[in-house]
Amino acid sequence: MAVPKSKISKSRRGQRRSHDRLAMNTYIEDAQSGELRRPHHIDLKTGVYRGRQVLEPKSDI
């Protein structure tokens, strides 16, 4: 069984964990509708992806 050779300080442990956080989601403003959406994702309100109509537009019912 592996046993640590010496104690890892709180500072050293924190430095190692400093990059483990989750990245925040990125949103861009859609050029046509002005709505916020994720890059490389379909705009669900209009149903458009890369200038092509992929889905039926969502109705506000």
Side-chain angles (χ1 to χ4, degrees):
M1 184 172 150
V3 178
K5 194 161 196 159
S6 60
K7 178 179 177 178
I8 302 297
S9 69
K10 295 173 189 170
S11 174
R12 172 83 54 179
R13 181 194 64 201
Q15 289 172 8
R16 184 183 67 245
R17 292 180 180 173
S18 68
H19 302 287
D20 291 348
R21 65 187 175 277
L22 295 174
M24 296 293 290
N25 287 340
T26 306
Y27 293 97
I28 60 168
E29 186 177 332
D30 192 61
Q32 292 149 351
S33 66
E35 295 285 326
L36 291 178
R37 65 171 179 85
R38 301 285 312 272
H40 309 287
H41 284 66
I42 298 172
D43 185 13
L44 292 176
K45 202 161 229 179
T46 59
V48 175
Y49 179 68
R50 296 184 66 188
R52 294 188 330 217
Q53 190 71 32
V54 180
L55 297 173
E56 293 296 318
K58 207 174 197 181
S59 60
D60 295 330
I61 296 177

